[in-house]
Amino acid sequence: GENVEQHPSTLSVQEGDSAVIKCTYSDSASNYFPWYKQELGKRPQLIIDIRSNVGEKKDQRIAVTLNKTAKHFSLHITETQPEDSAVYFCAASKRSGGSNYKLTFGKGTLLTVNP
Amino acid sequence: DGGITQSPKYLFRKEGQNVTLSCEQNLNHDAMYWYRQDPGQGLRLIYYSQIVNDFQKGDIAEGYSVSREKKESFPLTVTSAQKNPTAFYLCASRFQASPYGYTFGSGTRLTVV
């Protein structure tokens, strides 16, 4: 099955710096890659996603890049703010029988932005 | 609450007891999922259901059971066979024909006492 590796597990940056989180996936059939932000004790929230026919996508301070050949994708947060502090999860999705799409998550990165 | 509601928010279980976690959605989503979250482990799939009266095991189904009698509801029972049930449980849903638009509930924190 699909395996998603996420690095680093923890990341600490100063306010205003950039943060980069990287994920690799194993199944070349995966074609959808969302990123979720989860604050302590709360639900994961989708912050950005990318489909396999696109190499890069940007939304204000957040961007995601995808390298299908190398099977890795990354989350980039610029001009970080303390409210960006949270756990970030990457995920990979592929069709898994019929119309089911199975989402496999990385283990998460705890991002801390220090004021 | 984002259209998908989990209850209760906190749940305590004694050894040997079965407990049921509720998940209800009003998004008209076809597929529903249960995930378990442990520190440093990410989200692991327990069970999922694509249509009413049908469900499949995920990666860590042992010690859990589910039912899907209504489109809106997908309760999860944590049985006494689950030896380490203390965790944060998340329910999610999406439209059947699309891999996009996963919506999560706010979670239930289960603790064994």
Side-chain angles (χ1 to χ4, degrees), chain A residues 10-60:
Chain A
T10 60
L11 179 59
S12 181
V13 299
Q14 289 299 121
E15 184 176 359
D17 287 351
S18 295
V20 180
I21 302 170
K22 299 181 179 181
C23 289
T24 61
Y25 61 99
S26 60
D27 192 335
S28 56
S30 290
N31 55 10
Y32 172 63
F33 307 92
W35 285 88
Y36 290 86
K37 175 184 179 181
Q38 185 180 29
E39 297 176 2
L40 186 63
K42 296 190 177 180
R43 75 183 78 193
Q45 300 267 19
L46 178 69
I47 56 171
I48 196 167
D49 56 10
I50 192 167
R51 305 178 192 183
S52 60
N53 59 347
V54 175
E56 184 174 358
K57 183 177 178 180
K58 189 173 182 179
D59 183 4
Q60 300 182 342

Side-chain angles (χ1 to χ4, degrees), chain A residues 31-32 36 38 41-46 49 51 87 89 93 96-103 105-108, chain B residues 1-2 4 9 33 35 37 40-43 45 48 50 59 88 90 94 96-102 104-106:
Chain A
N31 55 10
Y32 172 63
Y36 290 86
Q38 185 180 29
K42 296 190 177 180
R43 75 183 78 193
Q45 300 267 19
L46 178 69
D49 56 10
R51 305 178 192 183
V87 177
F89 291 97
S93 175
S96 176
S99 57
N100 183 47
Y101 293 89
K102 186 177 179 183
L103 201 59
F105 288 85
K107 292 187 176 182
Chain B
D1 207 11
I4 182 166
K9 189 175 176 76
Y33 302 80
Y35 287 90
Q37 187 174 22
Q41 292 292 323
L43 281 70
L45 182 63
Y48 63 97
Q50 300 179 69
D59 300 319
F88 189 55
L90 284 161
R94 64 167 182 82
Q96 178 73 315
S98 168
Y100 320 122
Y102 245 67
F104 282 92
S106 55

